[in-house]
Amino acid sequence: MAVQDNIAGPPRTAFYNDPVIRGIFYQLVVAGLVIAFLTWIILNTAQNLAAQNKSTGFGFLFETSGFGISFTLIPFDRSSYYWQAFVVGLLNTLLVAVIGIIFATMLGFVLGVARLSSNWLIARCATVYVEVIRNIPLLLQLFFWYFAVLKAMPAVRQSFELPLSIFVNQRGIIVPRPLPDFEIFWVAVTAVLALVAAIAMVVWATRVRTKTGHYPVVVSRASRIAGLIVTFGVGYLAISLLGTVVPALSLGPVFPLIGALVLAGISLSPYGRYGRVFIGFAIGWAVANFLLGGMFAGLGEGIIVLGAALVALGIAWTMLSADRRSAATEGKLPLALPVLIVIALPALVYWVTGASLAFEIPVLERFNFAGGLQLVPEMVALVLGLTIYTAAFIAENVRSGIQAVSKGQTEAASSLGLREGDRLRLVVVPQAMRVIIPPLTSQYLNLTKNSSLGAAIGYPELVNVFMGTTLNQTGKAIEVIAITMLVYLTLSLTTSAFMNWYNARVALVER
Amino acid sequence: MSDISSNSAEERAINASQMKVSDTDVAIDVVGMHKWYGDFHVLRDIDLKVMRGERIVVAGPSGSGKSTLIRCMNRLEEHQQGQIIVNGTELTADLKRIDEVRREVGMVFQHFNLFPHLTILQNLTLAPIWVRGIPQAEAEATAMHYLERVKIPEQANKFPGQLSGGQQQRVAIARSLCMQPKIMLFDEPTSALDPEMVKEVLEVMISLAEEGMTMICVTHEMGFARQVANRVIFMDQGQIIEQNEPETFFSNPQHERTKLFLSQILH
């Protein structure tokens, strides 16, 4: 009988030993506990609020706030409503988060690559940066930037004056305020369209290149012409700038014109790279001269010009050796065409529509600056602190991503004859990005959430304005905290939804 | 070479040994080459002339510099002294020359090194499209041709992670062949494979040899060396100690170190 039972089906077990039934039972128990706990919390809260004679509800949002906010992106004053205070806080949080994310990403990628540099000094500097910054609490860094750096700036009357009418003092950084007229709108639209067009052109040209083996004839011809125009333009700029360093060369407008024509001509010859190196040298010299002159105003002019020339020679030498290393560029799409599209089209529209972009220059009056745009020190300190702190973590993500691509991948690509640019673009970067993006998204999340520390240095972001002032004045703790939490939850869930989508898209297929 | 048996592998060996080796056309010429890793002298005074059509097996204990030697031949490693001339181009720091050499020299690695984010077909067409500028359709046709040669055309649209080790290594060989190289370098191509997969990879390599490909192969497969190679090179401590035809090399090794090595690996 026993044998027959075995053949007929699995041996019978008692129902309380069946894993399926046990599973269902435990699920029911847990669900019951959760429901009981939530019911208890809600009832308890309602009871306590009733005992304190407090009303609940979101009606307070439409009451007058009666307080002012030091930095707002939308008009706000004492007669504004609480919901407007909420919007101001939210916008300020988003503003700092977006600016911080952009700068932290740029700085982080540069640092991450620098840590892997074969240059000992660069690699060590990047390591020290990362190790120091990520081991100091963010709040401490914010206090440092706010109290030790920005609040230690001179008083208004002794403001530092930087080039382009930018002033730095205790009250923050004052920059010229752009005053666009209506036609600027069309210039901006063209700029966006030109950027899209340039990207579309590159994508299309790359597709055609893959399909047929060479770039479309139109594109390569236009690229050659664009290369000439860009060389001419940059050459003109370079020689004009050279005139600011060597006064003997500023012989009126004809000289740079001729020089630029010569440079454009050279770029067609096999000696094109020497033309590029010359342009790099000239611009480097002028810029270094300007910067050194600003930093060491005390030194003699001759020494500064000489120092700047040394810097420029360094730039020229680096360019020359980099150029030599990146030989063989027959099959490459030159960057000149997309650059020209992005710069020239908006410039053309600017000129045709007669748009004008004026600036309101800040002017020092008796007690403060009149005009200009004031960046409050709270915001500058918060953006600085968040950027510098988060960049250290992003640098580590970037480094780990690049190192996660095994050396064998680069070797295999090299052995197939792929050049360095193609190796990076086609083999290394796609694999590194898979490793970099997920932790990068959580760094973005961290930065957004850490911006709430702005409350500690008085930056009016969401936690400061809404959970601080609004909560204190209205006493609507539950509603205010719920709304604030909901905002951060929404931001986080949106980001992680994107992250999951991206992960699913680029995941490696195995088995 | 002398006794003829019914074994098909043996017949193949005869075919292979009758393969034409050029007397005048030098594929790779290594002259007085030294290489150091820091203070460590990895390769000492290497002289090696590989004729077009030769099948060379490089053997030796681990750490003897075998892999380093063939990695110098497409400049995955740089040498510090002496000359390496590949297909008439001397390898120097000049990137143009390095590119030129790498376009004509294929390499197969111990760990396959397929690109995991690309399909098999994309793995095979990447270099022809971006290095040679071959139109995609043509590159894909070539890729399918070589996939059929290594007997896995049905895997074209899978990803490397979905293939077995032996299949991956055959794809890696096909990937190199898609560039239609004049010389193939093999760096221990079967060392990372399960024993039953070694055969399928060796078969592909044997058929390549039969077609007259110039091959330099670092391997511990002494059966393969006997069957295919026309010269076996034995290396120890960065030097070429002994080189000979496989028959003589295995039956009558000259050097003490070679005898010891052979007694250890042949049991």
Side-chain angles (χ1 to χ4, degrees):
Chain A
M1 280 306 280
V3 174
Q4 273 179 345
D5 274 351
N6 275 344
I7 292 166
R12 281 159 48 97
T13 47
F15 76 93
Y16 49 82
N17 279 337
D18 186 335
V20 177
I21 293 174
R22 275 193 179 199
I24 292 171
F25 174 71
Y26 288 137
Q27 294 282 351
L28 286 176
V29 169
V30 171
L33 284 176
V34 168
I35 290 169
F37 181 72
L38 287 178
T39 322
W40 172 65
I41 285 207
I42 291 168
L43 289 178
N44 183 278
T45 313
Q47 246 171 18
N48 285 337
L49 286 173
Q52 292 175 20
N53 278 331
K54 276 186 179 169
S55 61
T56 51
F58 294 93
F60 75 95
L61 285 173
F62 302 97
E63 290 165 16
T64 312
S65 64
F67 64 90
I69 297 176
S70 62
F71 178 79
T72 63
L73 291 176
I74 57 170
F76 186 88
D77 58 33
R78 285 161 189 284
S79 59
S80 301
Y81 300 113
Y82 282 120
W83 69 264
Q84 285 171 308
F86 167 75
V87 174
V88 166
L90 181 60
L91 285 179
N92 282 350
T93 293
L94 289 178
L95 176 74
V96 164
V98 169
I99 299 177
I101 282 173
I102 292 171
F103 283 121
T105 309
M106 294 196 292
L107 184 59
F109 269 78
V110 169
L111 282 167
V113 174
R115 271 201 87 171
L116 295 171
S117 165
S118 53
N119 182 320
W120 188 87
L121 193 63
I122 291 178
R124 264 343 101 95
C125 286
T127 309
V128 168
Y129 175 99
V130 168
E131 290 305 333
V132 168
I133 295 297
R134 69 174 182 168
N135 287 311
I136 298 176
L138 177 56
L139 190 58
L140 205 70
Q141 294 189 31
L142 289 180
F143 283 151
F144 170 77
W145 290 113
Y146 186 61
F147 292 111
V149 177
L150 292 170
K151 278 291 164 189
M153 288 293 162
V156 174
R157 296 216 63 85
Q158 282 88 41
S159 298
F160 289 128
E161 188 178 350
L162 301 179
L164 303 174
S165 295
I166 296 170
F167 297 91
V168 181
N169 60 41
Q170 272 185 345
R171 296 189 191 174
I173 301 172
I174 294 123
V175 298
R177 180 197 292 274
L179 297 171
D181 59 2
F182 178 71
E183 278 77 16
I184 285 292
F185 171 74
W186 296 112
V187 178
V189 169
T190 320
V192 173
L193 288 180
L195 189 65
V196 173
I199 294 172
M201 196 273 296
V202 170
V203 170
W204 173 69
T206 311
R207 276 218 191 118
V208 173
R209 162 75 178 75
T210 312
K211 274 243 144 57
T212 63
H214 47 76
Y215 287 109
V217 184
V218 194
V219 171
S220 40
R221 258 186 218 151
S223 291
R224 228 165 287 147
I225 297 168
L228 275 182
I229 297 175
V230 169
T231 311
F232 179 80
V234 179
Y236 186 86
L237 180 76
I239 295 176
S240 313
L241 280 175
L242 206 59
T244 64
V245 187
V246 189
L249 286 179
S250 47
L251 301 168
V254 186
F255 181 70
L257 212 61
I258 295 171
L261 276 176
V262 171
L263 282 173
I266 290 178
S267 76
L268 289 176
S269 75
Y271 303 104
R273 68 167 173 218
Y274 296 107
R276 286 196 292 279
V277 169
F278 172 75
I279 290 173
F281 174 76
I283 294 179
W285 198 5
V287 171
N289 189 47
F290 177 75
L291 289 178
L292 289 177
M295 283 193 286
F296 307 102
L299 291 173
E301 188 145 324
I303 299 178
I304 286 171
V305 169
L306 209 66
L310 283 179
V311 173
L313 274 179
I315 293 172
W317 182 75
T318 317
M319 279 179 72
L320 199 62
S321 57
D323 206 278
R324 196 169 290 145
R325 284 201 301 123
S326 67
T329 49
E330 317 94 51
K332 220 166 128 190
L333 183 72
L335 267 175
L337 185 57
V339 167
L340 196 67
I341 291 178
V342 170
I343 293 175
L345 279 184
L348 196 69
V349 172
Y350 184 84
W351 180 66
V352 168
T353 58
S356 70
L357 181 63
F359 284 95
E360 184 188 59
I361 307 292
V363 180
L364 182 60
E365 291 188 343
R366 187 179 293 226
F367 297 114
N368 204 349
F369 280 92
L373 193 68
Q374 187 187 13
L375 305 174
V376 290
E378 291 80 21
M379 184 183 114
V380 178
L382 188 58
V383 168
L384 261 179
L386 287 174
T387 302
I388 290 173
Y389 182 75
T390 315
F393 291 89
I394 292 179
E396 285 298 84
N397 295 341
V398 170
R399 181 175 71 111
S400 65
I402 295 174
Q403 282 183 332
V405 182
S406 75
K407 225 177 138 221
Q409 292 288 309
T410 317
E411 285 179 354
S414 309
S415 77
L416 287 167
L418 287 165
R419 288 178 219 101
E420 187 167 16
D422 288 340
R423 289 201 295 266
L424 287 176
R425 187 171 60 87
L426 299 167
V427 176
V428 177
V429 171
Q431 294 186 59
M433 285 318 268
R434 244 183 20 232
V435 182
I436 294 173
I437 295 285
L440 189 65
T441 358
S442 41
Q443 290 308 333
Y444 289 170
L445 270 180
N446 280 346
L447 190 146
T448 311
K449 288 182 293 183
N450 284 342
S451 72
S452 61
L453 285 174
I457 55 171
Y459 176 72
E461 45 71 63
L462 188 63
V463 171
N464 192 352
V465 172
F466 202 58
M467 257 179 67
T469 319
T470 304
L471 174 53
N472 279 336
Q473 291 191 0
T474 60
K476 304 280 182 194
I478 293 173
E479 293 85 347
V480 167
I481 291 176
I483 292 177
T484 315
M485 279 167 61
L486 211 61
V487 167
Y488 285 108
L489 193 66
T490 312
L491 290 178
S492 301
L493 287 181
T494 315
T495 316
S496 55
F498 166 77
M499 186 171 110
N500 290 341
W501 168 81
Y502 180 85
N503 266 345
R505 215 178 80 94
V506 300
L508 280 191
V509 182
E510 291 198 30
R511 253 153 271 282
Chain B
M1 179 141 88
S2 50
D3 49 68
I4 297 165
S5 77
S6 58
N7 189 321
S8 68
E10 287 292 321
E11 281 172 61
R12 275 184 152 171
I14 294 155
N15 289 341
S17 65
Q18 286 165 346
M19 290 297 315
K20 211 173 76 199
V21 174
S22 169
D23 297 332
T24 51
D25 190 2
V26 182
I28 301 179
D29 197 2
V30 182
V31 186
M33 192 263 279
H34 291 259
K35 172 167 179 60
W36 287 265
Y37 283 127
D39 287 339
F40 180 53
H41 203 164
V42 206
L43 294 175
R44 300 156 191 260
D45 197 22
I46 302 286
D47 282 294
L48 178 63
K49 193 171 272 191
V50 182
M51 308 309 287
R52 183 84 51 214
E54 269 204 286
R55 287 118 14 228
I56 292 181
V57 161
V58 185
S62 61
S64 59
K66 320 178 288 284
S67 289
T68 313
L69 173 61
I70 68 165
R71 285 161 63 86
C72 282
M73 291 173 179
N74 63 355
R75 204 153 168 112
L76 288 183
E77 306 277 353
E78 58 185 83
H79 58 283
Q80 277 84 31
Q81 206 180 310
Q83 279 184 310
I84 302 178
I85 300 160
V86 182
N87 294 324
T89 309
E90 185 180 352
L91 279 169
T92 62
D94 186 346
L95 278 188
K96 234 177 202 164
R97 291 180 176 205
I98 297 175
D99 283 341
E100 213 169 284
V101 166
R102 283 177 180 166
R103 275 198 291 268
E104 307 297 335
V105 178
M107 186 164 204
V108 175
F109 299 86
Q110 183 179 1
H111 296 290
F112 330 135
N113 295 343
L114 295 179
F115 307 129
H117 60 300
L118 301 177
T119 63
I120 300 305
L121 197 60
Q122 288 168 331
N123 263 280
L124 266 64
T125 54
L126 190 75
I129 287 176
W130 288 102
V131 178
R132 292 225 194 272
I134 292 171
Q136 189 176 23
E138 197 180 312
E140 281 176 357
T142 317
M144 286 314 293
H145 165 76
Y146 283 111
L147 276 183
E148 267 155 36
R149 269 214 47 190
V150 300
K151 301 192 186 89
I152 35 176
E154 71 281 2
Q155 313 282 7
N157 292 313
K158 288 194 183 166
F159 284 88
Q162 296 169 297
L163 268 55
S164 74
Q167 290 174 326
Q168 289 193 46
Q169 192 61 297
R170 285 185 278 155
V171 170
I173 295 175
R175 180 175 69 175
S176 287
L177 292 178
C178 279
M179 285 294 283
Q180 305 188 318
K182 294 186 180 137
I183 302 170
M184 286 286 286
L185 306 173
F186 293 85
D187 188 1
E188 307 206 19
T190 55
S191 302
L193 295 178
D194 288 344
E196 70 227 68
M197 293 175 180
V198 170
K199 197 169 148 247
E200 61 190 47
V201 171
L202 287 182
E203 272 171 7
V204 171
M205 290 169 64
I206 291 168
S207 75
L208 256 185
E210 284 169 348
E211 282 176 17
M213 174 69 77
T214 311
M215 293 166 68
I216 302 180
C217 188
V218 173
T219 185
H220 297 295
E221 296 295 329
M222 290 304 135
F224 172 79
R226 261 186 218 189
Q227 204 176 326
V228 175
N230 63 328
R231 185 147 53 119
V232 179
I233 290 177
F234 180 73
M235 287 183 71
D236 188 35
Q237 299 186 345
Q239 281 173 308
I240 295 179
I241 292 199
E242 186 170 345
Q243 46 179 315
N244 224 323
E245 285 180 4
E247 206 61 34
T248 333
F249 179 83
F250 289 111
S251 57
N252 188 19
Q254 302 299 309
H255 204 278
E256 275 312 308
R257 187 67 189 85
T258 319
K259 285 177 193 163
L260 179 66
F261 178 76
L262 286 178
S263 74
Q264 274 165 349
I265 66 163
L266 295 179
H267 310 295

